[in-house]
Amino acid sequence: MSSTLAQRLADVDARIADAARSAGRDPAELTRIVVTKFHPAQLVVDLAALGVRDVGENRQQEITAELAELADLDGVRWHFIGQVQTKKARAVRAASDAVHSVDRDRLADALHAADPDGNPLDVCVQVNLTDDPGRGGVAPAGTARLAEHIAARCPSLRLRGVMAVAPLGEAPAAAFTRLAASADAVRAVVPDAAWISAGMSGDFAEAIAAGATHLRIGTAITGARPAHG
């Protein structure tokens, strides 16, 4: 196992703790998800040996393949954080413990229909914090309505909160403040939907200050991503 992986993990965890304390928060409230995008499955094994319990992927093919390769690896929760095509909802649900990127009724319906009587699937409403409707996520004005749909029509989905990516070219703190307002809208529908999935390698301190509960951190821990096709 690479000692540098352990060093990077420890460094990021120390920075998370510092940011939490600076914001008057308990670091224990935060869940650090390590995003292993494009890395080989062995990285997940190495991370698990270092105590990592939450891993994120953003492509269905990768998470499905990794789960098959690591079928004997216990104690890891798999978070799907990428955009989901409706036709791939069944495969995503089969491979995931949580899906952070539910952004439309049809996707929620497809995830529910994939296993309506199975164990509840944790989901977040993805919010689009940009002015580009082509980006993933529901517009902030539609957040509560989508939450209502999930709560009323998709009983096998357990609505946990919201997720977003800070837009490029904007101060992350301002974007995450807007996300906090969407989180309030979701909690008005489902009071215990307290997750705020926000913050990546370059902006997790701002996300923590704005109330993030789940941080999606990749290269700061994993190192540079390998080339991919």
Side-chain angles (χ1 to χ4, degrees):
M1 183 189 307
S2 170
S3 61
T4 57
L5 178 64
Q7 291 164 357
R8 289 193 298 265
L9 181 66
D11 175 66
V12 168
D13 283 349
R15 290 164 57 200
I16 289 171
D18 287 345
R21 286 189 286 266
S22 293
R25 300 182 61 194
D26 181 353
E29 297 174 355
L30 304 174
T31 298
R32 178 252 297 124
I33 300 166
V34 181
V35 180
T36 57
K37 180 179 179 180
F38 302 134
H39 287 277
Q42 180 61 41
L43 178 64
V44 179
V45 177
D46 294 344
L47 288 165
L50 293 170
V52 170
R53 293 294 171 260
D54 292 272
V55 171
E57 277 294 351
N58 74 338
R59 298 205 307 182
Q60 177 268 315
Q61 298 92 326
E62 283 192 78
I63 196 170
T64 298
E66 287 181 347
L67 199 67
E69 186 172 344
L70 304 175
D72 296 330
L73 183 64
D74 294 326
V76 171
R77 279 180 51 81
W78 293 87
H79 299 256
F80 192 84
I81 60 176
Q83 299 310 120
V84 185
Q85 296 177 352
T86 304
K87 66 183 180 180
K88 295 184 177 181
R90 182 175 299 276
V92 167
R93 176 156 193 173
S96 306
D97 296 295
V99 177
H100 292 231
S101 47
V102 178
D103 61 358
R104 58 198 186 279
D105 292 357
R106 286 186 61 224
L107 175 56
D109 293 342
L111 288 168
H112 168 60
D115 194 5
D117 300 315
N119 292 327
L121 175 69
D122 290 337
V123 299
C124 292
V125 169
Q126 182 178 358
V127 182
N128 182 358
L129 298 177
T130 77
D131 295 325
D132 179 0
R135 296 291 297 270
V138 64
T143 302
R145 195 211 57 78
L146 178 54
E148 290 166 356
H149 179 89
I150 294 168
R153 302 290 186 88
C154 304
S156 73
L157 306 185
R158 182 164 49 198
L159 183 57
R160 288 297 203 177
V162 296
M163 182 273 265
V165 177
L168 296 175
E170 178 184 357
F176 293 142
T177 297
R178 298 201 305 279
L179 180 61
S182 291
D184 290 342
V186 169
R187 283 197 299 273
V189 178
V190 180
D192 62 351
W195 290 15
I196 300 178
S197 173
M200 300 189 293
S201 290
D203 57 22
F204 64 77
E206 292 91 340
I208 290 169
T213 62
H214 288 64
L215 314 172
R216 309 181 309 272
I217 301 176
T219 54
I221 294 172
T222 64
R225 292 175 181 138
H228 63 282

